[in-house]
Amino acid sequence: MATSEEAAEAAEAPQTPAATRGRVRFRRTALMAVPAVALGGLLMTLTAQGVLANQFSISGMPFTITADRLEGDGFAQYGSLDEMIPDSPNQGNTGGQVLVAVSAIKTARITNLCQSVDLGGVNLVIHAGDGKDPVTATDLTTDSDLLSGDAAFDNIEIGGDASTYKNAGRYGKGNPGVFGQQADHVDMTHVKQHNYASTALKFKLPNLRLSFDSKGC
């Protein structure tokens, strides 16, 4: 058995290659450190790369979405890495990659939707679902780096491997090792998202209006 002096010397000794070979690559470490969306005080940690990162190359121009209410059945959320085309003029200091939280909903209903993108001094603005009928979507996903609102979940599971998720349909699962959360039902009010991508299998927008304005959503 080692003496206390020997144990202290061992603790101070430099690490060998064998001791350091378990270290992960920088990109994975960065993904593990990114804080996810805070909804009603709920926090999670994002890891690894989600499946949506390979769906299409993002433009790198973020857009804003606001809504009075977003309600959905079948919810999942996990981390992802969205990528721009090589040498995109919009990459700035990102290196063409953006860390996002993917929120996936199997069937969604959105009340008073506003979407806007800044085109450089003028905003392209879309309004829909502010009449008697809400916007509806199937297999909806949004890739956000900021999201706020008040949220309530039914039967939520936090900390599972997102590759095993089934609640949120087509894009409701991440890669193996992704830390995520899923729920049977989600109900969010005062929604605001800063997004880089969004997809849906079906998207119905009652009372759709498109305009250009000096102000966004």
Side-chain angles (χ1 to χ4, degrees), residues 19-33:
T20 59
R21 64 188 175 191
R23 293 179 180 173
V24 294
R25 293 183 302 170
F26 171 78
R27 179 179 294 180
R28 185 172 178 86
T29 303
L31 284 163
M32 293 176 66

PDB file of all heavy atoms in Angstrom, residues 19-33:
ATOM      1  N   ALA A  19      -2.905   8.660 -19.795  1.00  0.00           N
ATOM      2  CA  ALA A  19      -3.848   9.342 -18.914  1.00  0.00           C
ATOM      3  C   ALA A  19      -4.662  10.377 -19.657  1.00  0.00           C
ATOM      4  O   ALA A  19      -5.720  10.775 -19.198  1.00  0.00           O
ATOM      5  CB  ALA A  19      -3.082  10.013 -17.760  1.00  0.00           C
ATOM      6  N   THR A  20      -4.141  10.850 -20.792  1.00  0.00           N
ATOM      7  CA  THR A  20      -4.836  11.912 -21.511  1.00  0.00           C
ATOM      8  C   THR A  20      -5.569  11.435 -22.748  1.00  0.00           C
ATOM      9  O   THR A  20      -6.247  12.207 -23.397  1.00  0.00           O
ATOM     10  CB  THR A  20      -3.819  12.988 -21.955  1.00  0.00           C
ATOM     11  OG1 THR A  20      -2.839  12.386 -22.796  1.00  0.00           O
ATOM     12  CG2 THR A  20      -3.140  13.613 -20.753  1.00  0.00           C
ATOM     13  N   ARG A  21      -5.454  10.140 -23.102  1.00  0.00           N
ATOM     14  CA  ARG A  21      -6.033   9.691 -24.358  1.00  0.00           C
ATOM     15  C   ARG A  21      -7.550   9.693 -24.348  1.00  0.00           C
ATOM     16  O   ARG A  21      -8.176   9.586 -25.391  1.00  0.00           O
ATOM     17  CB  ARG A  21      -5.522   8.306 -24.694  1.00  0.00           C
ATOM     18  CG  ARG A  21      -5.931   7.217 -23.711  1.00  0.00           C
ATOM     19  CD  ARG A  21      -5.218   5.917 -24.015  1.00  0.00           C
ATOM     20  NE  ARG A  21      -5.515   4.892 -23.019  1.00  0.00           N
ATOM     21  CZ  ARG A  21      -4.860   3.752 -22.940  1.00  0.00           C
ATOM     22  NH1 ARG A  21      -3.874   3.513 -23.783  1.00  0.00           N
ATOM     23  NH2 ARG A  21      -5.173   2.865 -22.020  1.00  0.00           N
ATOM     24  N   GLY A  22      -8.179   9.815 -23.148  1.00  0.00           N
ATOM     25  CA  GLY A  22      -9.626   9.854 -23.098  1.00  0.00           C
ATOM     26  C   GLY A  22     -10.204  11.220 -23.390  1.00  0.00           C
ATOM     27  O   GLY A  22     -11.399  11.396 -23.419  1.00  0.00           O
ATOM     28  N   ARG A  23      -9.334  12.230 -23.610  1.00  0.00           N
ATOM     29  CA  ARG A  23      -9.839  13.563 -23.864  1.00  0.00           C
ATOM     30  C   ARG A  23     -10.528  13.627 -25.222  1.00  0.00           C
ATOM     31  O   ARG A  23     -10.076  13.044 -26.192  1.00  0.00           O
ATOM     32  CB  ARG A  23      -8.701  14.583 -23.820  1.00  0.00           C
ATOM     33  CG  ARG A  23      -8.104  14.742 -22.417  1.00  0.00           C
ATOM     34  CD  ARG A  23      -6.976  15.746 -22.430  1.00  0.00           C
ATOM     35  NE  ARG A  23      -6.408  15.899 -21.093  1.00  0.00           N
ATOM     36  CZ  ARG A  23      -5.322  16.621 -20.842  1.00  0.00           C
ATOM     37  NH1 ARG A  23      -4.691  17.242 -21.826  1.00  0.00           N
ATOM     38  NH2 ARG A  23      -4.868  16.723 -19.608  1.00  0.00           N
ATOM     39  N   VAL A  24     -11.632  14.401 -25.287  1.00  0.00           N
ATOM     40  CA  VAL A  24     -12.383  14.511 -26.526  1.00  0.00           C
ATOM     41  C   VAL A  24     -11.837  15.650 -27.360  1.00  0.00           C
ATOM     42  O   VAL A  24     -11.097  16.494 -26.878  1.00  0.00           O
ATOM     43  CB  VAL A  24     -13.883  14.755 -26.232  1.00  0.00           C
ATOM     44  CG1 VAL A  24     -14.477  13.553 -25.556  1.00  0.00           C
ATOM     45  CG2 VAL A  24     -14.067  16.001 -25.382  1.00  0.00           C
ATOM     46  N   ARG A  25     -12.224  15.680 -28.637  1.00  0.00           N
ATOM     47  CA  ARG A  25     -11.815  16.747 -29.517  1.00  0.00           C
ATOM     48  C   ARG A  25     -12.471  18.060 -29.112  1.00  0.00           C
ATOM     49  O   ARG A  25     -13.511  18.091 -28.479  1.00  0.00           O
ATOM     50  CB  ARG A  25     -12.189  16.413 -30.968  1.00  0.00           C
ATOM     51  CG  ARG A  25     -11.411  15.234 -31.521  1.00  0.00           C
ATOM     52  CD  ARG A  25     -11.764  15.010 -32.973  1.00  0.00           C
ATOM     53  NE  ARG A  25     -13.212  14.785 -33.136  1.00  0.00           N
ATOM     54  CZ  ARG A  25     -13.803  14.758 -34.312  1.00  0.00           C
ATOM     55  NH1 ARG A  25     -13.119  14.970 -35.405  1.00  0.00           N
ATOM     56  NH2 ARG A  25     -15.104  14.525 -34.383  1.00  0.00           N
ATOM     57  N   PHE A  26     -11.854  19.175 -29.554  1.00  0.00           N
ATOM     58  CA  PHE A  26     -12.324  20.490 -29.160  1.00  0.00           C
ATOM     59  C   PHE A  26     -13.777  20.732 -29.522  1.00  0.00           C
ATOM     60  O   PHE A  26     -14.539  21.272 -28.733  1.00  0.00           O
ATOM     61  CB  PHE A  26     -11.456  21.571 -29.823  1.00  0.00           C
ATOM     62  CG  PHE A  26     -11.996  22.956 -29.639  1.00  0.00           C
ATOM     63  CD1 PHE A  26     -11.834  23.633 -28.441  1.00  0.00           C
ATOM     64  CD2 PHE A  26     -12.699  23.574 -30.667  1.00  0.00           C
ATOM     65  CE1 PHE A  26     -12.348  24.903 -28.279  1.00  0.00           C
ATOM     66  CE2 PHE A  26     -13.210  24.840 -30.504  1.00  0.00           C
ATOM     67  CZ  PHE A  26     -13.036  25.511 -29.311  1.00  0.00           C
ATOM     68  N   ARG A  27     -14.190  20.324 -30.761  1.00  0.00           N
ATOM     69  CA  ARG A  27     -15.559  20.607 -31.176  1.00  0.00           C
ATOM     70  C   ARG A  27     -16.568  19.957 -30.256  1.00  0.00           C
ATOM     71  O   ARG A  27     -17.548  20.559 -29.854  1.00  0.00           O
ATOM     72  CB  ARG A  27     -15.792  20.129 -32.616  1.00  0.00           C
ATOM     73  CG  ARG A  27     -17.209  20.373 -33.106  1.00  0.00           C
ATOM     74  CD  ARG A  27     -17.386  19.921 -34.530  1.00  0.00           C
ATOM     75  NE  ARG A  27     -16.584  20.740 -35.432  1.00  0.00           N
ATOM     76  CZ  ARG A  27     -16.567  20.554 -36.747  1.00  0.00           C
ATOM     77  NH1 ARG A  27     -17.287  19.586 -37.294  1.00  0.00           N
ATOM     78  NH2 ARG A  27     -15.835  21.322 -37.519  1.00  0.00           N
ATOM     79  N   ARG A  28     -16.332  18.701 -29.877  1.00  0.00           N
ATOM     80  CA  ARG A  28     -17.273  18.019 -28.988  1.00  0.00           C
ATOM     81  C   ARG A  28     -17.270  18.669 -27.616  1.00  0.00           C
ATOM     82  O   ARG A  28     -18.313  18.828 -26.984  1.00  0.00           O
ATOM     83  CB  ARG A  28     -16.917  16.535 -28.879  1.00  0.00           C
ATOM     84  CG  ARG A  28     -17.939  15.748 -28.054  1.00  0.00           C
ATOM     85  CD  ARG A  28     -17.669  14.259 -28.134  1.00  0.00           C
ATOM     86  NE  ARG A  28     -18.610  13.539 -27.309  1.00  0.00           N
ATOM     87  CZ  ARG A  28     -19.804  13.160 -27.705  1.00  0.00           C
ATOM     88  NH1 ARG A  28     -20.195  13.436 -28.922  1.00  0.00           N
ATOM     89  NH2 ARG A  28     -20.614  12.495 -26.903  1.00  0.00           N
ATOM     90  N   THR A  29     -16.097  19.085 -27.129  1.00  0.00           N
ATOM     91  CA  THR A  29     -16.025  19.765 -25.835  1.00  0.00           C
ATOM     92  C   THR A  29     -16.824  21.053 -25.874  1.00  0.00           C
ATOM     93  O   THR A  29     -17.549  21.380 -24.936  1.00  0.00           O
ATOM     94  CB  THR A  29     -14.557  20.066 -25.482  1.00  0.00           C
ATOM     95  OG1 THR A  29     -13.828  18.851 -25.484  1.00  0.00           O
ATOM     96  CG2 THR A  29     -14.458  20.708 -24.120  1.00  0.00           C
ATOM     97  N   ALA A  30     -16.709  21.814 -26.963  1.00  0.00           N
ATOM     98  CA  ALA A  30     -17.444  23.060 -27.074  1.00  0.00           C
ATOM     99  C   ALA A  30     -18.942  22.816 -27.073  1.00  0.00           C
ATOM    100  O   ALA A  30     -19.696  23.534 -26.422  1.00  0.00           O
ATOM    101  CB  ALA A  30     -17.036  23.784 -28.364  1.00  0.00           C
ATOM    102  N   LEU A  31     -19.387  21.786 -27.772  1.00  0.00           N
ATOM    103  CA  LEU A  31     -20.809  21.484 -27.803  1.00  0.00           C
ATOM    104  C   LEU A  31     -21.328  21.097 -26.429  1.00  0.00           C
ATOM    105  O   LEU A  31     -22.446  21.415 -26.056  1.00  0.00           O
ATOM    106  CB  LEU A  31     -21.063  20.356 -28.807  1.00  0.00           C
ATOM    107  CG  LEU A  31     -21.013  20.760 -30.278  1.00  0.00           C
ATOM    108  CD1 LEU A  31     -20.867  19.532 -31.156  1.00  0.00           C
ATOM    109  CD2 LEU A  31     -22.249  21.531 -30.666  1.00  0.00           C
ATOM    110  N   MET A  32     -20.519  20.407 -25.667  1.00  0.00           N
ATOM    111  CA  MET A  32     -20.947  20.006 -24.336  1.00  0.00           C
ATOM    112  C   MET A  32     -21.079  21.202 -23.410  1.00  0.00           C
ATOM    113  O   MET A  32     -21.814  21.167 -22.434  1.00  0.00           O
ATOM    114  CB  MET A  32     -19.951  19.006 -23.745  1.00  0.00           C
ATOM    115  CG  MET A  32     -19.933  17.663 -24.464  1.00  0.00           C
ATOM    116  SD  MET A  32     -18.668  16.550 -23.829  1.00  0.00           S
ATOM    117  CE  MET A  32     -19.301  16.263 -22.175  1.00  0.00           C
ATOM    118  N   ALA A  33     -20.353  22.288 -23.721  1.00  0.00           N
ATOM    119  CA  ALA A  33     -20.342  23.445 -22.833  1.00  0.00           C
ATOM    120  C   ALA A  33     -21.403  24.469 -23.166  1.00  0.00           C
ATOM    121  O   ALA A  33     -21.614  25.400 -22.420  1.00  0.00           O
ATOM    122  CB  ALA A  33     -18.964  24.114 -22.886  1.00  0.00           C
TER     123      ALA A  33
END
